[in-house]
Amino acid sequence: MKMLTTFEQVVKYAESLPSVTVAVAAAADQEVLEAVLDAKKHRIADFLLFGDEEKIRSIGSEIGLDLAPGEVVHATSIAEACLLAVTAVSEKRADVLMKGMVQTADFLRAVLNKEKGLRAGKVLSHVASFEVSGFDHLIHVTDPALNVSPELKDKVQILENVIDFCHSLGLPEPKVAVLGAVEVVNPSMQPTLDAAALSQMNRRGQIKGAIVDGPFALDNAVSVESAEHKGIHSPVAGKADVLLVPDIEAGNILYKSMVYFAKAKIGALVLGAKAPIVLTSRADSAEAKLYSIAMAVLQADHFKKR
Ligand SMILES: CCCC(=O)OP(=O)(O)O
């Protein structure tokens, strides 16, 4: 498989794969339903939409989305919509779960439900992939949404999740930059100590399938000029495919800076679950949700081949 470097390529590749069924939790939202319409046009997915049926059908008819009787399942609350969508995936009536117009914490409560949930015994983590003008490859940020303040052992699993995800995008050995505020190990800054440990674990073969190095500050992770200027020599310096952020605050602010300042294209998933999960911000565009669905199609195919 050729390495995919733009979302156009991701969508095109998804078109060549078997289509999936996506269960959308709390689907009564214009951007969500526009993404549903676009994904259907690209023939990459079919849908089961959970939520306020009258509202879903009303928005659907406004945007020209024809919905068959069985495609919408009424739920009397957001919590019920989330649990019904998660159940559809755990019972294999759907292949992919998608967050609609619901707060991340409420959505995750259903994902983590003891009976019906989608945990696979691993740490769940979030990845947001960005296509940024001026960069010749996608940049994957993890974890901007789920793990609040991960410890070293959690970061190992977050790395394993994102490395496997990069492999699903045709990137056999992603370059991972472990970020901090500075590019030197400082005993009073825990993210720099974690970065040093993760780099060494990679060198010793404890973390495989990627080149991991750090700490890096953001500038020398993504700019060769900055790395050269600061005299940092590493195969990852300035060329990172993956940015492992220290915590959710740094990650979420970076995510939203990419969207609102850099006008980057974005797709986002939860990794480490039994099935691919689309998790974008409620405020993200229909385009971002479409790109996320396309990445989930690739993940579903990758799961089958593992
Ligand atoms: C990064 C996606 C998680 C997030 O911030 O979602 P909301 O904007 O919907 O809270």
Side-chain angles (χ1 to χ4, degrees), residues 8-145:
E8 199 183 315
Q9 290 173 5
V10 173
V11 173
K12 257 216 149 32
Y13 192 70
E15 285 172 352
S16 74
L17 296 174
S19 114
V20 297
T21 300
V22 181
V24 185
D29 174 71
Q30 177 145 346
E31 300 297 319
V32 169
L33 293 174
E34 279 177 5
V36 168
L37 181 60
D38 291 344
K40 283 179 169 221
K41 282 185 187 157
H42 285 281
R43 298 177 187 279
I44 59 175
D46 298 310
F47 291 87
L48 285 173
L49 306 175
F50 297 86
D52 181 332
E53 178 161 13
E54 203 183 314
K55 212 166 156 194
I56 292 171
R57 290 197 179 278
S58 151
I59 300 171
S61 71
E62 274 168 31
I63 63 170
L65 172 65
D66 291 329
L67 293 167
E71 264 182 289
V72 183
V73 180
H74 183 66
T76 52
S77 67
I78 297 285
E80 188 189 17
C82 291
L83 197 55
L84 287 173
V86 166
T87 304
V89 178
S90 63
E91 291 178 354
K92 302 212 181 304
R93 285 178 282 121
D95 312 290
V96 170
L97 177 69
M98 174 169 169
K99 173 191 170 207
M101 191 59 187
V102 49
Q103 286 192 16
T104 302
D106 295 335
F107 178 71
L108 287 178
R109 200 163 298 119
V111 171
L112 298 176
N113 180 281
K114 281 217 164 67
E115 276 171 53
K116 306 282 184 190
L118 298 173
R119 286 201 78 161
K122 293 196 257 181
V123 167
L124 297 184
S125 56
H126 186 257
V127 64
S129 304
F130 298 95
E131 183 180 328
V132 194
S133 152
F135 285 78
D136 63 1
H137 59 282
L138 295 174
I139 294 180
H140 312 287
V141 174
T142 191
D143 170 342

Side-chain angles (χ1 to χ4, degrees), residues 99 102-104 126 144-145 252 255-256 279-284:
K99 173 191 170 207
V102 49
Q103 286 192 16
T104 302
H126 186 257
N252 201 278
Y255 178 121
K256 288 173 183 171
L279 196 157
T280 54
S281 166
R282 285 159 290 169
D284 281 333

